[in-house]
Amino acid sequence: MDIVVSTVNYIRKNGLTHRQFQQFLSDTEANHRDVVYYSEVRWLSRGAVLKRFFDLRKEINTFMNEKGKSIPELTDTQWLIDLGFLTDVTHELNTLNVRLQGKKKLISDMYTDVKAFQMKIKLFIKHIDEKKLDHFPNCKEAVEEAGINFHWKIDKMKDILIQLQSQFSDRFGDFEKVSSKLKVFANPFPCDIEEVPSNLQMNMIDLQSN
């Protein structure tokens, strides 16, 4: 991330350099017309910065070389694969972050979103074990572009996902303690009466029978 941020800062901090870069992107008919500026106080900006940087990696490499500011990592296939993987994982985290926001978001909805994300992580780990990159499009693009076998990256990718899985279990462990109540609140109809707190069981029977 440091290389990405320092490169973006170099391009955007100087007005002339920034305009030259924008013109360069226009001249080369790139898919984007600028890089995204990174803000530490805005979590969602991390994902936007990474995605835009990854998409423009070739153009950025050419531009920086012309400026005499060569960045070896931009021609390092291993680094680019890592960048693609980081971009994909950050995108998934950003998607969850957005889903958890909103004034009318109920705690039961948030619980469902978190549980769904934990299931996704489990699926991601399984697919990495199976050497599948279907859910990591940017990483897959970097691997295919490099024309190499990514199997030597599996352990590293898996470790990152397992750490993420562990962090979510720790941070949202309190949700599990009240999961039965949250499930009732989210959708009372399929709930087992025996799992409902005793003071709510009569009301639940009436609700389910209507």
Side-chain angles (χ1 to χ4, degrees):
M1 189 69 191
D2 290 342
I3 293 172
V4 173
V5 172
S6 63
T7 303
V8 170
N9 286 345
Y10 172 81
I11 292 172
R12 295 204 51 155
K13 276 189 174 181
N14 181 279
L16 176 60
T17 301
H18 189 199
R19 289 192 297 273
Q20 289 174 337
F21 180 70
Q22 290 175 314
Q23 185 60 51
F24 172 76
L25 293 180
S26 178
D27 292 343
T28 57
E29 298 183 348
N31 291 331
H32 304 288
R33 291 293 178 263
D34 204 354
V35 288
V36 178
Y37 200 73
Y38 177 65
S39 172
E40 290 187 1
V41 298
R42 295 180 59 198
W43 163 253
L44 293 178
S45 77
R46 180 186 294 265
V49 170
L50 285 170
K51 177 57 178 169
R52 185 64 59 85
F53 189 93
F54 184 83
D55 287 346
L56 293 174
R57 61 194 181 281
K58 296 178 183 178
E59 290 84 356
I60 292 172
N61 182 48
T62 301
F63 181 79
M64 295 300 284
N65 284 337
E66 290 180 356
K67 285 291 184 180
K69 299 286 185 179
S70 176
I71 303 175
E73 287 81 3
L74 288 175
T75 55
D76 182 339
T77 55
Q78 295 186 29
W79 188 85
L80 289 172
I81 290 172
D82 287 341
L83 176 64
F85 183 73
L86 177 61
T87 301
D88 291 324
V89 173
T90 304
H91 169 73
E92 294 296 335
L93 287 168
N94 277 3
T95 300
L96 174 64
N97 196 322
V98 171
R99 290 183 65 87
L100 293 176
Q101 296 177 15
K103 294 181 179 180
K104 297 182 179 180
K105 196 73 175 181
L106 300 176
I107 185 66
S108 56
D109 295 330
M110 296 173 69
Y111 170 75
T112 300
D113 290 336
V114 170
K115 288 295 293 183
F117 187 77
Q118 289 177 309
M119 291 175 65
K120 285 183 180 180
I121 297 176
K122 187 176 181 180
L123 178 65
F124 293 159
I125 293 172
K126 179 177 181 292
H127 278 206
I128 290 296
D129 263 338
E130 296 172 350
K131 304 177 179 61
K132 297 177 181 177
L133 292 175
D134 297 333
H135 299 293
F136 304 95
N138 295 293
C139 182
K140 185 176 183 179
E141 181 180 332
V143 169
E144 292 176 347
E145 190 175 280
I148 59 176
N149 191 314
F150 81 100
H151 296 175
W152 45 272
K153 283 285 186 182
I154 287 178
D155 288 341
K156 181 178 181 180
M157 293 176 179
K158 187 176 176 181
D159 285 345
I160 291 173
L161 292 172
I162 289 174
Q163 289 177 26
L164 184 61
Q165 186 180 50
S166 177
Q167 289 173 4
F168 264 76
S169 296
D170 292 341
R171 289 178 180 271
F172 296 99
D174 289 341
F175 271 179
E176 292 301 325
K177 297 176 183 178
V178 293
S179 61
S180 60
K181 295 180 181 179
L182 291 174
K183 290 176 183 177
V184 170
F185 187 67
N187 186 4
F189 297 102
C191 290
D192 185 343
I193 297 299
E194 295 299 325
E195 295 180 357
V196 177
S198 58
N199 63 316
L200 297 177
Q201 288 178 340
M202 294 294 288
N203 291 334
M204 190 60 58
I205 291 173
D206 290 338
L207 181 61
Q208 290 182 349
S209 63
N210 291 331

